[in-house]
Amino acid sequence: DGGITQSPKYLFRKEGQNVTLSCEQNLNHDAMYWYRQDPGQGLRLIYYSQIVNDFQKGDIAEGYSVSREKKESFPLTVTSAQKNPTAFYLCASSIVGGNTEAFFGQGTRLTVV
Amino acid sequence: AQSVTQLDSQVPVFEEAPVELRCNYSSSVSVYLFWYVQYPNQGLQLLLKYLSGSTLVKGINGFEAEFNKSQTSFHLRKPSVHISDTAEYFCAVSDLRRGSARQLTFGSGTQLTVLP
């Protein structure tokens, strides 16, 4: 089955540590996205990429970094510079242009302890 | 820039009653419109989308929405809800420009709780 796989589902991090969230898709989509979800605030865009080796900042990119070395993969690193990293992180993918929607993974819940 | 306003953060409704979840948006360009549903600790699932054509859009699980361009609204409706419809619902918009990625601007969500 085609889809988006995020791992791990739950992640705990100590303050001051970097952590990387995995996102893999086998939908052959060119575009991939990372969103952060906080209670009562909906989803906010962190980074997105339309093509391999290229990505753009979203609305809340500070304290995060990404890479896009392969079409299928778009890992997100939450750095120690991110002041409030505890959140639910969602990865999505879509085609570029065209009449279609974004497809979402099942999310990773990150907790700083 | 785009923005999405979901007017109700919580909507309780009794089983088999009708429900409407309200969504208004603002944008300087034409947009696509979406409703997604999220069950606890899960990702988002597409309910329905408006891209063009008929302003009344039918989706999964008996939901429908109507695009009203003059009122910049995209309200979600269901004539008779079930306990299993209890979830959070998100309205979202995406830039219509050709060749652009589908980055979405979301509303803050509406928690629908269906009571027995």
Side-chain angles (χ1 to χ4, degrees), chain A residues 31-85:
Chain A
M32 296 187 74
Y33 317 80
W34 275 105
Y35 291 90
R36 170 180 170 138
Q37 185 177 17
D38 296 283
Q41 294 191 47
L43 284 75
R44 293 178 290 168
L45 182 66
I46 304 172
Y47 269 99
Y48 68 99
S49 167
Q50 296 192 80
I51 195 169
V52 173
N53 292 322
D54 187 43
F55 46 83
Q56 285 77 43
K57 292 181 179 180
D59 301 319
I60 56 165
E62 185 176 351
Y64 300 98
S65 65
V66 293
S67 63
R68 187 87 186 276
E69 296 177 1
K70 299 186 301 182
K71 186 176 183 178
E72 302 78 18
S73 179
F74 192 41
L76 173 74
T77 297
V78 184
T79 75
S80 56
Q82 170 49 235
K83 299 302 180 190
N84 297 295

Side-chain angles (χ1 to χ4, degrees), chain A residues 9 31 33 35 37 40-43 45 48 50 88 90 94-102 104-106 109, chain B residues 32 34 36 38 41-44 46 49 51-52 88 90 97-109:
Chain A
K9 188 169 177 65
Y33 317 80
Y35 291 90
Q37 185 177 17
Q41 294 191 47
L43 284 75
L45 182 66
Y48 68 99
Q50 296 192 80
F88 192 50
L90 287 155
S94 76
I95 67 172
V96 175
N99 296 338
T100 188
E101 67 274 16
F104 284 80
Q106 292 299 295
R109 185 166 297 281
Chain B
Y32 291 152
F34 306 88
Y36 284 88
Q38 184 181 37
N41 290 313
Q42 292 191 25
L44 273 66
L46 182 72
K49 59 188 177 186
L51 305 178
S52 65
E88 188 147 27
F90 291 96
R97 284 174 295 178
R98 187 184 297 273
S100 68
R102 285 287 166 263
Q103 59 266 38
L104 295 161
T105 300
F106 284 88
S108 55

Side-chain angles (χ1 to χ4, degrees), chain B residues 15 28 32 38 43 51 56 59 67 73 83 89-90 108:
Chain B
E15 195 172 16
S28 56
Y32 291 152
Q38 184 181 37
L51 305 178
L56 182 62
F67 171 56
S73 68
I83 296 287
Y89 292 80
F90 291 96
S108 55

